[in-house]
Amino acid sequence: MPKQTPDLPLPTIQLDASSALPLHRQLYNQLRDAIREGHLKPGMRLPSTRALAQELGVSRATTIEAYRDLHAEGYLDAQIGAGTVVMRKLPEQFLNAQWDQKSDETQSDARNVSP
């Protein structure tokens, strides 16, 4: 049966232990989606890994791994003593940056030239 987090300042998280997808990956996906969709705002503080694990009824290692992956991809910032917060500048903002089309065309033409 899926577990939920009704009392935390997070969107409803549902983890399915019978799923082929590991619990930490399910948690990662749901938190990442909540960040991308704006449910978790930049600068918002997340619960500690211990509190979230307890609320979800999973091991702390599950929440640590999900937070670690989100941190590695630039979604979360973790500071000892300050907690874990959603990054103020998200990775998608870099991916959606405007590129200089002329520069891209020049690079493309240079790659198509035979030596």
Side-chain angles (χ1 to χ4, degrees):
M1 180 159 122
K3 299 179 185 308
Q4 299 182 12
T5 58
D7 300 325
L8 294 175
L10 296 174
T12 302
I13 294 175
Q14 297 185 350
L15 302 179
D16 183 0
S18 64
S19 172
L21 194 62
L23 292 174
H24 73 274
R25 201 62 186 174
Q26 292 178 50
L27 179 57
Y28 162 88
N29 287 341
Q30 291 181 48
L31 290 172
R32 185 198 61 211
D33 291 347
I35 292 169
R36 286 180 172 174
E37 294 167 5
H39 300 294
L40 296 176
K41 307 271 186 230
M44 181 180 178
R45 188 173 179 170
L46 299 182
S48 69
T49 56
R50 189 178 315 276
L52 184 57
Q54 183 176 11
E55 186 65 33
L56 293 173
V58 297
S59 76
R60 186 168 175 225
T62 297
T63 58
I64 289 172
E65 196 162 348
Y67 275 27
R68 184 199 66 214
D69 291 348
L70 289 163
H71 179 264
E73 292 184 8
Y75 290 100
L76 298 181
D77 186 27
Q79 299 292 324
I80 295 173
T84 302
V85 298
V86 177
M87 288 292 287
R88 297 217 181 265
K89 253 194 180 249
L90 300 175
E92 280 75 25
Q93 292 171 316
F94 298 115
L95 295 175
N96 293 329
Q98 294 293 324
W99 294 103
D100 179 9
Q101 184 177 4
K102 187 174 182 178
S103 174
D104 284 349
E105 290 171 359
T106 303
Q107 290 177 359
S108 179
D109 290 343
R111 285 191 294 263
N112 292 331
V113 174
S114 306

